[in-house]
Amino acid sequence: MPNPTSHTAGPHDFGSPHPDPSDLAALLADGYLGSVWLTGQAPSRDLRRGRYTPESMKHPGKMLPTIPRYAIRTYTNPGDVVLDPMAGIGTTIIEAMRLGRHGIGVEYEAEWVAKAADNIRHTVQAGVPGRGEIYHGDSTALPSLLPASLHGQVALVITSPPYGSSTHGHVRTPGPRRGKVRKINHKYGSVSNLAYRSHGELADGFTEILAGCRAVLRPGGHVVVTARPYRRHGELIDIPGMVVAAGVNAGLELVEECIALICGVRDGVIIPRASFFQQKNIRDAIATGDPQWLVQHEDVVILRAL
Ligand SMILES: C[S@@+](CC[C@H](N)C(=O)[O-])C[C@H]1O[C@@H](n2cnc3c(N)ncnc32)[C@H](O)[C@@H]1O
């Protein structure tokens, strides 16, 4: 890990800049374990309650709020600009605002732009120290979407590419007339969304987005991308590997690869936080003789502008 630049104490705070590496309990309390980020100590719905509009829950691929919170504290200072070029309902923007940073997002789908704008208004009303903005557009042309005054000013990009809907979504349980268990809120609205492109097209589009990020980052600014491998028709698709290649091809330097836990850890024991469909997919795979495991972390790829 690079030296964290700023830390303040508070609930779900991930602590002091230089924890004693020999004190495991302190490291756990701090949320810091080398390249393992202990970001799953509270369930997503608890982290969002009161801070995000209930409508936000409809987005199929939201980031766990503690992940941008940890990255923002580690890589930026108050007043810095933090950008998410694939902003969804604005998790990066909202967490940046609450930490006194200037959060900026770009999102392709009008529905999520509107929900991100609602979350920004809700956060402003809470009297937080930072500012937030959301832009509607295709981030493969990122520099042209953002005001020239921001070019070269962004301290940190945090984002996650859209892919594989098989583990996303919520459960509609069967009622007397509703039939069998159904999945809802697991798809994006537009077929032009990068989520529906082939792996090669997603890689090309994401490389263009990271090249645009490089153009607006300040020298030494960081890029934090969360992703995880997923299975398409049984084949394992290496999204984190695609992210590293896209970053390097976009002219960024690879700093390190970490993992961010989405499960809790209590007294040395893992507390899994798997969705209904994650559990179902694993059970189905095991039943067919494919020994899969529940994935309880996101890969985090950290890159830097030279
Ligand atoms: C994994 S989600 C990110 C969610 C976000 N981090 C949050 O917590 O709400 C990826 C988002 O990228 C958006 N997207 C896809 N293609 C895009 C593009 N070309 N430009 C901007 N956004 C895009 C999708 O609509 C989706 O909302």
Side-chain angles (χ1 to χ4, degrees):
M1 288 283 292
N3 282 336
T5 51
S6 81
H7 283 275
T8 48
H12 300 301
D13 190 285
F14 295 114
S16 62
H18 302 296
D20 174 358
S22 65
D23 187 346
L24 183 61
L27 287 169
L28 283 167
D30 229 15
Y32 176 95
L33 206 60
S35 55
V36 179
W37 300 4
L38 292 175
T39 35
Q41 297 299 75
S44 166
R45 63 180 175 282
D46 291 357
L47 294 167
R48 291 194 185 272
R49 193 172 297 120
R51 292 165 77 103
Y52 292 81
T53 64
E55 285 290 292
S56 305
M57 296 314 283
K58 290 188 176 166
H59 192 284
K62 295 175 296 302
M63 203 181 271
L64 194 65
T66 41
I67 297 177
R69 211 180 286 173
Y70 180 82
I72 291 164
R73 284 200 175 106
T74 303
Y75 295 105
T76 69
N77 286 306
D80 280 347
V81 178
V82 180
L83 166 71
D84 188 343
M86 310 180 96
I89 52 91
T91 310
T92 297
I93 308 170
I94 301 311
E95 297 304 320
M97 291 173 74
R98 287 189 172 268
L99 291 169
R101 277 66 164 177
H102 182 180
I104 295 174
V106 178
E107 167 58 45
Y108 187 73
E109 292 201 9
E111 178 184 0
W112 310 128
V113 173
K115 290 188 171 37
D118 289 344
N119 280 320
I120 292 171
R121 272 189 290 277
H122 180 71
T123 309
V124 168
Q125 280 163 9
V128 302
R131 288 184 292 140
E133 289 167 67
I134 180 79
Y135 293 85
H136 186 192
D138 179 348
S139 281
T140 55
L142 185 68
S144 67
L145 300 174
L146 298 178
S149 58
L150 282 174
H151 294 195
Q153 298 303 314
V154 174
L156 174 65
V157 170
I158 306 175
T159 200
S160 56
Y163 54 88
S165 63
S166 65
T167 57
H168 292 322
H170 301 131
V171 178
R172 162 76 30 96
T173 40
R177 296 192 189 164
R178 288 206 213 116
K180 59 181 193 171
V181 172
R182 281 195 299 128
K183 206 187 247 200
I184 57 170
N185 299 337
H186 64 294
K187 287 193 169 160
Y188 295 106
S190 161
V191 286
S192 333
N193 195 307
L194 280 184
Y196 296 128
R197 308 276 181 82
S198 69
H199 184 65
E201 287 169 326
L202 171 63
D204 289 347
F206 197 60
T207 305
E208 283 178 69
I209 291 176
L210 291 184
C213 290
R214 183 173 155 243
V216 298
L217 276 163
R218 70 185 185 197
H222 287 88
V223 177
V224 169
V225 184
T226 71
R228 54 172 124 156
Y230 77 101
R231 284 182 190 267
R232 184 153 56 188
H233 310 304
E235 186 193 356
L236 194 64
I237 311 286
D238 179 14
I239 299 288
M242 179 279 282
V243 168
V244 172
V248 171
N249 288 336
L252 297 164
E253 176 190 38
L254 178 63
V255 176
E256 64 178 338
E257 293 179 64
C258 298
I259 65 167
L261 295 187
I262 54 174
C263 59
V265 180
R266 297 265 187 286
D267 301 325
V269 176
I270 293 270
I271 301 168
R273 303 196 197 286
S275 74
F276 174 88
F277 286 104
Q278 282 169 321
Q279 295 181 44
K280 180 180 181 316
N281 290 350
I282 298 295
R283 255 188 252 113
D284 291 350
I286 291 171
T288 63
D290 181 0
Q292 292 187 24
W293 296 89
L294 261 184
V295 177
Q296 287 290 284
H297 68 274
E298 294 275 338
D299 287 57
V300 187
V301 176
I302 298 148
L303 303 140
R304 184 167 46 205
L306 298 169

